[in-house]
Amino acid sequence: MLDGCPVARSAVAHPASDDHGAPARRAGWHGICRLLPVGMVSLLVVGGCGPRDPRPWQPASRTVVWPAPPAPPRVRYEGSITSGQALRFASTTGSRLLDLLVGRPRMHLGAPHGLAASATLIAVADSGTGAVHVLELAKRRYRVLASVGDVPLGCPVGLAAGGQGDLFVADAALARVFHLATTGQLLGEVREKFIRPTGVVYDAPRQRLHIVDSGAHALLTFRHEQGGWTLARRLGGRGEEEGLFNFPTHAAVDRDGSLYVADSLNHRIQRFDAEGRLLGSFGQAGDGTGDFAKAKGVAVDSEGHVYVADSLYDVVQIFDRDGRFLLSFGGSGREHESLWLPTGIFIDEEDRIYVADTGNARVQVYQYLRESR
């Protein structure tokens, strides 16, 4: 499938961080370091029984920018969020051994897909482990949400942050979209007969929830009323004409409410205004600049540039609102700044770019550099 999910799968619930007594437990971990034999303490210090990393991503070891000098840089590689780095950030010990001693869960990114980020959290929908990973930045707390109540997540791929630190999770295998607190508490569910929901985007100023149903070749828009989400509009249907889709996967919303939809197997991005009127499209199948092989994630920065992750070309391409190609970054590989089968992409309020580097089981972090004026 386009989203990389099986038709059905099961997931085992992972232990979550304790909401009660976390400060005492942190103090206890440092106490363990003091009580252990000197040799063991030395081992743990090497593993990280010292200061925690100040950020959830491993900083780049060298400066990498696009375009290459002498042109003015517009995108800079910041680092990567890996299983180990996220746990070092979220844990007071930073030591896998000590985490095991005190029963801390080990973070494991299998196939990161959907992304959401804000000033308070970074969340990753992981179709490989059947879970949503949540890093609460201020609390330095890490949680794994692997079930909703008694229902194990099957293949979470779509993810969006709500306006109150909440999350919307689209599970392609379960054909359901959940509204969750970052603790995993169920706040609600979007009641609709989805076929294969894959992309979710929340338009906070207009309080609209947009869901891409890849199996239905449709973009559905919901509004919140009477304590639930009501279907307000349905766009698409299968076809090659503009306004129709062929297995769309992701969507993004601009500040004016415009919607960009990755029409993956039509090899294009379609743009609609806030009321659902078609404004145009750009892209085609090919291997040239601005062409697509398998467009997946789409995002928009603060200046209205459109970013498209192509999972076969292993790059992110940047366009202006009218679809004119501006720049690409990434490139195939396992190196620090490279990508391998990228899928989801998200840009936060500081124009920090998060890319789900699915084939490398990590999240790559870049920074858009605004032009000096």
Side-chain angles (χ1 to χ4, degrees):
M1 297 299 293
L2 277 176
D3 49 44
C5 298
V7 174
R9 68 182 300 270
S10 60
V12 178
H14 297 258
S17 299
D18 191 357
D19 286 334
H20 307 288
R25 184 172 289 184
R26 290 192 184 101
W29 294 345
H30 288 297
I32 290 174
C33 290
R34 292 192 294 270
L35 293 173
L36 288 172
V38 174
M40 182 66 75
V41 170
S42 300
L43 177 62
L44 292 176
V45 167
V46 172
C49 208
R52 290 176 292 169
D53 287 353
R55 59 183 66 84
W57 57 84
Q58 182 177 358
S61 58
R62 60 189 178 92
T63 300
V64 182
V65 296
W66 294 266
R74 303 311 301 273
V75 175
R76 181 181 64 231
Y77 176 61
E78 296 288 283
S80 60
I81 301 174
T82 61
S83 299
Q85 178 65 19
L87 189 56
R88 283 191 293 272
F89 170 83
S91 169
T92 56
T93 68
S95 166
R96 293 177 182 174
L97 176 59
L98 195 53
D99 285 341
L100 289 173
L101 289 175
V102 297
R104 289 276 292 177
R106 177 179 172 183
M107 183 176 186
H108 171 64
L109 284 176
H113 203 113
L115 301 169
S118 69
T120 60
L121 64 83
I122 297 173
V124 183
D126 187 348
S127 60
T129 61
V132 176
H133 305 270
V134 180
L135 287 170
E136 294 183 273
L137 303 180
K139 298 178 181 178
R140 289 179 175 265
R141 181 170 296 167
Y142 159 64
R143 288 188 174 92
V144 179
L145 312 181
S147 61
V148 178
D150 296 331
V151 179
L153 291 176
C155 190
V157 290
L159 190 64
Q164 304 297 324
D166 47 327
L167 296 169
F168 296 94
V169 180
D171 192 306
L174 298 180
R176 299 171 70 176
V177 178
F178 301 104
H179 185 198
L180 303 176
T182 55
T183 59
Q185 176 188 356
L186 179 64
L187 302 176
E189 183 176 348
V190 182
R191 300 293 180 180
E192 181 66 25
K193 292 183 178 180
F194 298 109
I195 297 177
R196 202 164 183 84
T198 54
V200 187
V201 58
Y202 179 63
D203 184 354
R206 297 160 191 83
Q207 295 187 324
R208 294 176 180 174
L209 183 66
H210 306 285
I211 300 174
V212 178
D213 190 335
S214 183
H217 312 281
L219 173 67
L220 288 73
T221 298
F222 297 84
R223 61 175 180 268
H224 194 266
E225 58 183 30
Q226 297 179 350
W229 294 95
T230 302
L231 182 63
R233 185 177 66 226
R234 184 185 186 99
L235 299 176
R238 191 171 191 179
E240 297 180 355
E241 298 82 6
E242 287 197 343
L244 301 180
F245 301 116
N246 189 13
F247 290 101
T249 52
H250 297 76
V253 64
D254 204 346
R255 292 188 174 187
D256 64 359
S258 297
L259 283 161
Y260 295 87
V261 182
D263 188 7
S264 295
L265 291 193
N266 279 330
H267 309 288
R268 65 189 177 191
I269 302 298
Q270 297 207 60
R271 183 186 178 196
F272 302 85
D273 70 11
E275 303 309 314
R277 292 181 289 264
L278 179 68
L279 298 177
S281 66
F282 60 88
Q284 62 183 4
D287 57 5
T289 297
D291 294 341
F292 300 124
K294 188 176 286 186
K296 284 289 191 73
V298 58
V300 185
D301 69 19
S302 65
E303 296 182 346
H305 304 119
V306 184
Y307 297 64
V308 183
D310 194 304
S311 64
L312 290 187
Y313 290 151
D314 301 319
V315 297
V316 175
Q317 298 191 79
I318 308 176
F319 303 84
D320 66 13
R321 285 188 175 96
D322 296 321
R324 288 185 288 264
F325 173 82
L326 301 175
L327 178 68
S328 67
F329 63 91
S332 302
R334 308 287 187 182
E335 296 79 12
H336 292 300
E337 72 274 10
S338 302
L339 299 168
W340 195 262
L341 300 175
T343 51
I345 182 170
F346 183 86
I347 301 177
D348 68 15
E349 294 181 353
E350 298 180 356
D351 282 333
R352 189 173 291 119
I353 307 157
Y354 301 86
V355 181
D357 188 10
T358 307
N360 285 323
R362 64 189 178 186
V363 176
Q364 295 283 63
V365 185
Y366 307 85
Q367 178 68 54
Y368 169 63
L369 305 173
R370 297 183 183 91
E371 187 174 3
S372 300
R373 289 182 172 84

